[in-house]
Amino acid sequence: MDSLLYYLIPMMLVVGAVAFMEWFAAWSHEHIMHGWGWGWHQSHHEPHDAALEKNDLYAVVFAAFAIALYFGAAWLWPLWWIAIGITIYGVLYFFMHDGLVHQRWPFKYVPRKGYLKRVYQAHRLHHAVKGRDGCVSFGFVYAESAAKLRKKLQDDRRGLPTSAREDRDQRPSGH
Ligand SMILES: [Zn+2]
Ligand SMILES: [Zn+2]
């Protein structure tokens, strides 16, 4: 029983931290990065040639927070396992978002089926809307189906005031 708890509690802390981070990442992506934090995130929604984006600073902030927790574990041991969960989430985020979707690794791989394809398509649709407003799918590990997201995009578009819709319709062609 003791040894069960010895393993069970850390495991629950790690899994809980990973799950919480997906929720928190999606929430902050929607309400901070596409809100008052757009100044850093904008770089990610615009085409560019540079290897680094201002948006990467968000990853630095999250990493710094995890490192602080590792140090904090000297005083409060559960922080160690929470920090490990955040680190695992960071690796998942880089794999899914920077690797799979945005191809920031030196090979090309586009998933053709299953869960990876779902995540890939969902984040592609996040980038389907130009600019800060009206985007869908803010998570990185959990994703709604492409069909659902496309419908959301269509509904949003219909809900726009006419002036904004015309403005958006004209932008891509721009003759
Ligand atoms: Zn975004
Ligand atoms: Zn992206």
Side-chain angles (χ1 to χ4, degrees):
M1 188 63 196
D2 276 359
S3 66
L4 184 70
L5 284 181
Y6 183 80
Y7 292 109
L8 200 64
I9 289 175
M11 224 174 76
M12 281 165 59
L13 287 170
V14 171
V15 172
V18 172
F20 174 80
M21 281 305 290
E22 170 62 8
W23 173 81
F24 184 67
W27 181 86
S28 54
H29 185 188
E30 182 169 3
H31 297 285
I32 297 176
M33 295 169 204
H34 282 249
W36 54 265
W38 178 246
W40 282 4
H41 191 55
Q42 185 175 17
S43 60
H44 182 61
H45 280 267
E46 284 169 355
H48 60 83
D49 298 323
L52 289 176
E53 308 167 350
K54 214 174 190 182
N55 182 55
D56 294 327
L57 288 171
Y58 280 117
V60 175
V61 170
F62 278 109
F65 182 69
I67 290 167
L69 290 188
Y70 281 115
F71 280 108
W75 290 274
L76 198 64
W77 67 266
L79 293 183
W80 180 264
W81 300 105
I82 292 170
I84 289 197
I86 296 175
T87 307
I88 292 174
Y89 185 79
V91 172
L92 285 174
Y93 168 81
F94 269 106
F95 177 80
M96 297 292 192
H97 179 258
D98 291 66
L100 207 62
V101 181
H102 293 296
Q103 307 283 327
R104 292 175 87 181
W105 50 28
F107 53 91
K108 187 138 182 81
Y109 166 71
V110 177
R112 307 235 172 261
K113 58 176 170 29
Y115 165 72
L116 291 182
K117 181 183 175 187
R118 186 185 172 104
V119 169
Y120 177 89
Q121 286 187 324
H123 194 70
R124 280 302 195 200
L125 288 167
H126 175 68
H127 284 279
V129 177
K130 296 280 162 269
R132 151 183 172 171
D133 300 316
C135 295
V136 292
S137 185
F138 292 92
F140 300 101
V141 174
Y142 168 79
E144 285 182 295
S145 73
K148 233 185 199 169
L149 292 169
R150 283 205 189 92
K151 180 160 186 327
K152 240 187 214 176
L153 282 170
Q154 267 172 11
D155 291 353
D156 283 2
R157 213 172 139 83
R158 245 174 262 139
L160 281 176
T162 328
S163 59
R165 205 185 307 155
E166 276 168 6
D167 178 44
R168 186 182 285 177
D169 285 344
Q170 277 162 12
R171 227 178 292 161
S173 55
H175 37 113

